Amino acid sequence: MDIELKPLNLPGSDDRPFVIAGPCSAETEEQVMTTARQLASHGFRMFRAGVWKPRTKPGGFEGNGETALPWLKRVKEETGMLISTEVATPEHVELALKYDVDILWIGARTSANPFAMQAIADSLKGVDIPVFMKNPVNPDLELWIGAMERINQAGVKRLAAIHRGFSSYEKKIYRNLPMWQIPIELRRRMPDLPVICDPSHIGGRRELIAPLCQQAMDLGFDGLMVESHCAPDAAWSDAKQQVTPDVLNYILSLLVIRDEKVVTEGIHMLRKQIDEIDNGIMELLAKRMSVCREIGRYKKEHNMTVLQTVRYNEILDKRGAQGSLAGMDSEFVKEIFEHIHEESVRQQMEIVNQK
Ligand code: PEP
Ligand code: MN
């Protein structure tokens, strides 16, 4: 893969972290200007606001379109902040350029679509504007890199990646699963590409912004894109995940930025991947144990024995064989499963013996 990058070279882009802040959507001129003035008073230098909003279902607020672009231009003229918006089609690109938008970002639903990406790339030929690429909605690093390659091949060298998490049917605490190993691997493969974390869309709830920002800083991310609104609860889109400029400033003031140059240390990045994988193993084990307790309850109700030897041998053989196919010693794998089984039986016994 050949991606030729140039530094972003924007006012503030060397700050660690550099921050892009602003509302999910540009709703009214007043909302845009009030939010921007408050952000500017705290020293924020890059403003975001969605003008075209991709909505999962029809009927929601889909953005004000071109009407909102003069509001962004006014933000730039009055506050001096750089302005950014999401583009999803060549027409969006053309309009954004017409109103002097400084930074374009591409949304997660668009970066997942190579046809859309190629059309946008073609419309950017010969244009020198920074483009920030959100990860595609599905956890596919190659698709994410491919989207950036298309833009790069059009001649755009000032690129950054935005990590906004990945859709999952399994709703846990996050709106979009962070799957940190994916941006970590991106960083390992493209050490010069700035990576920005979007805690608002990962978390989906304002309480998660602070811990997610801290985690991104600990992993060596360069920037943050955070949704901020002058009256978050009244927002027309993504109300639950927005914070006021004051709260955002407070959250960022508490961040601990470790002075650690992890970027060039491949081993460091690989170790972070190991930590992420181990974390995943522990989560899966915990899930397995909770299913075992469920089985315990079932067996108790139906008067079945806890230990069912046939089933036990079947698990050991199946996983042993799978292990050797994956290049591991089958005895080693069987041993792991013996230990897992032992703990599972213990957990079931606890349930069965409950009064
Ligand atoms: C947004 O930034 O408001 C947005 C729609 O984000 P995403 O593409 O990450 O869902
Ligand atoms: Mn949003």
Side-chain angles (χ1 to χ4, degrees):
M1 149 207 44
D2 275 343
I3 288 202
E4 197 193 328
L5 296 170
K6 272 196 187 152
L8 293 177
N9 216 1
L10 297 166
S13 64
D14 287 334
D15 297 350
R16 173 120 203 285
F18 67 85
V19 180
I20 307 121
C24 179
S25 314
E27 299 163 5
T28 63
E29 183 165 20
E30 196 192 341
Q31 168 252 7
V32 166
M33 291 313 301
T34 309
T35 308
R37 286 189 195 111
Q38 291 175 3
L39 286 166
S41 76
H42 286 296
F44 291 103
R45 297 160 88 174
M46 297 182 195
F47 185 76
R48 64 148 282 159
V51 162
W52 297 281
K53 301 303 300 176
R55 304 309 297 265
T56 302
K57 293 199 173 156
F61 172 59
E62 298 195 322
N64 283 304
E66 185 174 359
T67 314
L69 287 169
W71 310 340
L72 296 197
K73 201 163 180 200
R74 195 172 153 206
V75 166
K76 178 162 151 162
E77 283 158 6
E78 282 191 26
T79 69
M81 274 194 276
L82 298 177
I83 52 174
S84 64
T85 201
E86 172 175 343
V87 290
T89 66
E91 296 73 48
H92 295 168
V93 171
E94 194 185 318
L95 284 167
L97 296 174
K98 179 172 152 196
Y99 289 89
D100 289 332
V101 170
D102 300 290
I103 301 164
L104 304 177
W105 88 79
I106 289 165
R109 292 156 194 79
T110 311
S111 66
N113 180 343
F115 290 130
M117 283 315 309
Q118 194 54 51
I120 296 172
D122 292 343
S123 75
L124 281 167
K125 279 213 172 86
V127 182
D128 179 24
I129 187 168
V131 176
F132 294 176
M133 188 70 64
K134 292 215 180 189
N135 64 257
V137 278
N138 50 322
D140 184 338
L141 178 57
E142 301 311 321
L143 194 58
W144 194 1
I145 293 176
M148 289 187 278
E149 280 179 12
R150 286 179 200 276
I151 299 292
N152 192 237
Q153 281 171 9
V156 174
K157 299 200 170 70
R158 290 187 292 162
L159 285 171
I162 304 179
H163 169 230
R164 52 76 80 196
F166 303 91
S167 293
S168 151
Y169 197 65
E170 185 188 336
K171 288 278 177 255
K172 292 208 287 191
I173 58 171
Y174 303 110
R175 176 176 175 191
N176 291 294
L177 297 181
M179 305 179 90
W180 295 102
Q181 71 276 17
I182 293 177
I184 290 170
E185 175 62 11
L186 175 66
R187 170 48 56 93
R188 196 179 70 84
R189 300 234 314 243
M190 301 173 62
D192 296 329
L193 177 76
V195 184
I196 298 163
C197 178
D198 171 347
S200 312
H201 291 90
I202 295 176
R205 293 190 279 142
R206 54 182 73 106
E207 309 83 82
L208 291 173
I209 293 174
L212 285 165
C213 287
Q214 186 61 56
Q215 211 161 345
M217 291 301 98
D218 293 346
L219 290 171
F221 279 57
D222 305 274
L224 298 168
M225 177 188 259
V226 193
E227 287 188 340
S228 179
H229 189 293
C230 55
D233 287 327
W236 297 3
S237 58
D238 289 351
K240 286 201 193 79
Q241 69 194 35
Q242 304 204 57
V243 287
T244 60
D246 283 353
V247 169
L248 176 59
N249 188 54
Y250 177 68
I251 289 175
L252 298 181
S253 74
L254 296 179
L255 284 183
V256 180
I257 311 294
R258 292 180 183 86
D259 189 18
E260 196 184 14
K261 197 71 193 148
V262 289
V263 185
T264 51
E265 288 179 38
I267 185 76
H268 211 113
M269 302 320 284
L270 289 167
R271 282 189 180 139
K272 300 241 188 242
Q273 282 195 65
I274 292 285
D275 285 347
E276 266 309 304
I277 293 168
D278 287 350
N279 185 41
I281 293 176
M282 288 312 297
E283 279 179 11
L284 281 175
L285 268 181
K287 205 190 239 170
R288 190 185 199 281
M289 293 306 159
S290 99
V291 174
C292 286
R293 288 195 292 276
E294 196 59 42
I295 293 179
R297 277 185 277 278
Y298 185 90
K299 286 181 176 167
K300 187 178 180 182
E301 273 168 30
H302 296 83
N303 264 330
M304 292 165 74
T305 55
V306 165
L307 198 60
Q308 310 236 314
T309 327
V310 180
R311 168 81 181 135
Y312 175 51
N313 287 331
E314 188 188 296
I315 291 180
L316 290 190
D317 290 342
K318 195 158 121 194
R319 296 306 162 198
Q322 187 185 11
S324 39
L325 276 177
M328 285 179 278
D329 184 275
S330 68
E331 287 311 306
F332 155 76
V333 176
K334 281 188 181 175
E335 221 170 279
I336 291 181
F337 273 89
E338 274 165 22
H339 287 299
I340 293 177
H341 186 260
E342 200 177 307
E343 176 63 11
S344 306
V345 169
R346 198 189 64 75
Q347 300 247 355
Q348 284 191 24
M349 294 299 284
E350 256 180 32
I351 300 286
V352 172
N353 292 330
Q354 261 168 17
K355 288 278 167 331

